[in-house]
Amino acid sequence: MSDKIIIFDTTLRDGEQSPGCAMSLAQKKRMAKALAALGVDVIEAGFAAASPDDFKAVASIAQEVKGPTICALARCHDNDIREAGRALEGAEKKRIHVFIATSPLHREHKLKMSKAQVIERAVAGVRLARTFCDDVEFSCEDATRTEPDFLAQVVEAAIEAGATTINIPDTVGYTTPTEMFDCIRRLKTQVPNIDQAILSTHCHNDLGLAVANSLAAVEAGARQVECTLNGIGERAGNCALEEVVMAIKTRANHFGINTAIRTEQLLPSSRLLSAITGSVVPRNKAIIGDNAFAHASGIHQHGMLSHPETYEIMKPQSIGRVDTSLVLGKHSGRHALVDKITELGFDATAEDMDRIFADFKALADRKKHISDADIEALVVGQASTGPWQLAQMQVTSGTGDSIASAAVVLLGPDGSEYREAATGDGPVDAAFRAIERATGMEVHLEGLSVNSISEGIDAQGEAQVRVRFAGQAIHGRGISTDIVAASVSAFMDVINRISRQMAKAS
Ligand code: KIV
Ligand code: ZN
């Protein structure tokens, strides 16, 4: 058995499907390029038949992103499979991923199909997909709640029909590591043609077991892991790519396997995704959280000074966390900035550099020393890309009986100016109300937090806003040395995400 684990990234499909993580076409392409630079083997670019926008996203990624295999998801329906095949036409390496639910609950209540009908549909789906490409993956949705003998029958039939990868999803995050191990082992021993396909796992994190279940599948013989950056995905998310990859690397002595991931790109890729989705990683998140390598207690700090391995099982540099002495400021030129960006693991095009350098100069006028965190914030940029833009804002606030007020001028999707003013419980509240009036969008604010992303009195603040709109949670993010401006920028990010979603739905 090979000791290479195929990393199948579904950030742009299962991840993007999760509340608050919708991405525009440009953002998906930027993320797909970052995933290719990270070294993932397969990028699941989307569900081509879901909408014209999804089709376009898969087709553009297939055309433009070279290196990984580009995959499109399809139900075992003719139209879905044909759309997937069409969207993948420009890909250097392509895969169609077809799925059908196999568990009794799904068969009886969702599909209203018998076991025989499910097998028939699975076989037809795989056969049709094979007419578009040789690389076909078949998933048994809700596999972990499927009768083991029936699961083995479906898998055998799908391989017989031409599936080259068989994926065993724990769709509802219900299974446990030992159950997952047994499931994969059973398939390996019970299915006569199992050697003709690669076994894969796709675990959701409802019980917080997605990474453990994926590793158990690998120990039982699975050779592909499906995962997402930052673990984003439906409900509690999917298996986190960075966690499973670093577990395999750090415990190579235990697992005896490897991946092709360039682990120094993990943190830059994770931060790019956070900036794009506005969904911020908790500080204590394994591998990529801000505290993942922070040692606070005196005993730990003493141990670390004596020998880093006393309390550190991975080197921060191995995931792209760099601490450098090159400090940038007002007089630094474009070259020094490019060097620093490269050192931090980012890749900026000449076009990006024009914007980044202009923002850098503006920041350097306000801050003496520009830290690595500031540079990172500049590179990933403000996530918001319109259609609404804040052209001007004026806020007043005070103590005692004074009433906070805000006046805003926005440029709308039609290019016109929208002017509004409002009062509120503080300058941020007043500004949010003025923006709601100007855009005609009313949202329910569920949370606002501002954290410092660099040190000192002139530190940049990162604001995170969470709102509910039409029953959906939407996140926004904004950065500035001024906390009111950071909060307003995060709120504009939310307004723009909602506007783009509404435009997509209409
Ligand atoms: O969770 C799941 O079952 C899926 C399949 C489509 C692979 O996402
Ligand atoms: Zn899933």
Side-chain angles (χ1 to χ4, degrees):
M1 204 185 335
S2 158
D3 51 12
K4 155 97 195 285
I5 301 300
I6 298 166
I7 297 294
F8 176 113
D9 180 275
T10 183
T11 305
L12 298 173
R13 200 277 298 169
D14 222 349
E16 207 250 353
Q17 212 162 293
S18 65
C21 289
M23 297 177 222
S24 67
L25 174 62
Q27 289 170 336
K28 283 186 187 172
K29 285 203 279 188
R30 189 164 179 203
M31 210 54 242
K33 286 177 186 160
L35 289 168
L38 178 63
V40 306
D41 300 285
V42 185
I43 295 178
E44 188 163 53
F47 189 168
S51 73
D53 278 350
D54 288 84
F55 180 92
K56 205 164 160 193
V58 178
S60 317
I61 292 170
Q63 284 279 353
E64 294 173 35
V65 180
K66 304 297 167 204
T69 297
I70 309 298
C71 173
L73 182 71
R75 290 168 299 179
C76 285
H77 290 178
D78 283 12
N79 182 58
D80 279 21
I81 298 168
R82 289 187 201 287
E83 288 295 274
R86 228 163 44 82
L88 289 172
E89 267 164 17
E92 194 179 64
K93 289 184 267 170
K94 57 184 157 188
R95 172 182 298 186
I96 298 182
H97 176 188
V98 291
F99 74 99
I100 189 165
T102 49
S103 67
L105 268 168
H106 283 240
R107 288 193 318 261
E108 284 156 32
H109 301 285
K110 186 179 87 177
L111 300 173
K112 305 202 186 319
M113 284 167 85
S114 67
K115 286 181 175 172
Q117 286 170 319
V118 167
I119 294 191
E120 197 183 320
R121 184 75 72 77
V123 166
V126 171
R127 285 207 182 119
L128 180 59
R130 278 299 297 252
T131 64
F132 293 94
C133 56
D134 292 339
D135 186 351
V136 170
E137 171 167 334
F138 172 74
S139 282
C140 317
E141 190 188 7
D142 207 15
T144 51
R145 293 192 298 169
T146 300
E147 306 89 326
D149 288 343
F150 180 57
L151 187 67
Q153 272 178 42
V154 184
V155 167
E156 184 180 349
I159 298 174
E160 178 65 35
T164 46
T165 298
I166 294 290
N167 185 36
I168 304 299
D170 183 27
T171 304
V172 289
Y174 177 76
T175 204
T176 67
T178 30
E179 280 177 7
M180 181 52 108
F181 183 94
D182 291 346
C183 174
I184 300 290
R185 262 292 144 89
R186 214 178 297 113
L187 291 173
K188 285 205 90 72
T189 50
Q190 262 186 21
V191 176
N193 54 2
I194 200 73
D195 290 344
Q196 293 165 37
I198 290 172
L199 268 170
S200 165
T201 179
H202 172 115
C203 298
H204 280 266
N205 204 29
D206 299 66
L207 295 174
L209 292 171
V211 172
N213 288 336
S214 304
L215 290 169
V218 161
E219 291 201 271
R223 283 295 171 266
Q224 173 175 286
V225 173
E226 302 200 352
C227 44
T228 59
L229 268 176
N230 299 355
I232 65 166
E234 291 272 15
R235 307 178 308 278
N238 286 55
C239 169
L241 182 151
E242 63 282 357
E243 294 180 19
V244 85
V245 164
M246 288 312 286
I248 288 172
K249 180 172 170 146
T250 309
R251 296 306 314 277
N253 60 340
H254 174 77
F255 292 108
I257 48 178
N258 54 68
T259 72
I261 296 295
R262 294 174 197 105
T263 60
E264 314 73 50
Q265 291 292 329
L266 284 171
L267 194 61
S269 317
S270 153
R271 289 194 168 152
L272 177 64
L273 180 67
S274 287
I276 284 178
T277 58
S279 174
V280 174
V281 165
R283 294 188 90 84
N284 64 336
K285 180 113 169 69
I287 318 293
I288 50 170
D290 283 350
N291 289 355
F293 291 88
H295 301 273
S297 89
I299 296 174
H300 286 207
Q301 285 173 349
H302 175 244
M304 285 288 296
L305 290 173
S306 317
H307 196 303
E309 281 175 28
T310 49
Y311 287 103
E312 207 160 67
I313 58 166
M314 297 165 271
K315 292 207 183 324
Q317 296 83 344
S318 67
I319 62 139
R321 201 180 282 271
V322 284
D323 234 350
T324 53
S325 49
L326 177 61
V327 177
L328 299 186
K330 198 175 171 136
H331 301 293
S332 308
R334 198 176 159 115
H335 263 112
L337 182 61
V338 171
D339 284 353
K340 176 61 121 186
I341 288 172
T342 316
E343 191 184 281
L344 289 172
F346 289 105
D347 177 24
T349 61
E351 204 181 295
D352 292 338
M353 272 314 296
D354 292 341
R355 189 225 7 121
I356 296 169
F357 192 56
D359 290 353
F360 168 76
K361 284 289 173 191
L363 182 63
D365 278 339
R366 284 179 279 134
K367 281 194 81 174
K368 198 160 161 224
H369 295 305
I370 310 281
S371 68
D372 289 355
D374 291 324
I375 305 284
E376 250 175 43
L378 289 174
V379 175
V380 294
Q382 303 288 10
S384 201
T385 50
W388 289 93
Q389 275 173 37
L390 180 70
Q392 268 181 49
M393 177 179 71
Q394 185 85 45
V395 290
T396 56
S397 65
T399 53
D401 290 340
S402 60
I403 296 171
S405 65
V408 296
V409 181
L410 302 189
L411 290 180
D414 56 357
S416 327
E417 276 188 3
Y418 293 75
R419 292 169 184 271
E420 275 298 344
T423 55
D425 290 340
V428 172
D429 183 45
F432 286 9
R433 286 175 195 232
I435 293 170
E436 281 185 310
R437 281 190 188 162
T439 57
M441 260 181 242
E442 249 181 69
V443 299
H444 174 67
L445 184 67
E446 288 192 331
L448 163 67
S449 63
V450 184
N451 292 304
S452 162
I453 55 169
S454 48
E455 282 164 16
I457 190 75
D458 57 359
Q460 293 217 87
E462 178 189 64
Q464 293 159 34
V465 167
R466 197 180 69 248
V467 307
R468 194 153 287 274
F469 183 79
Q472 255 197 55
I474 319 262
H475 302 260
R477 177 177 181 264
I479 294 167
S480 172
T481 48
D482 171 333
I483 58 171
V484 176
S487 308
V488 167
S489 157
F491 195 68
M492 287 299 297
D493 188 19
V494 155
I495 292 290
N496 279 321
R497 284 175 197 278
I498 296 172
S499 302
R500 290 196 295 267
Q501 267 190 31
M502 282 167 47
K504 202 170 160 182
S506 63

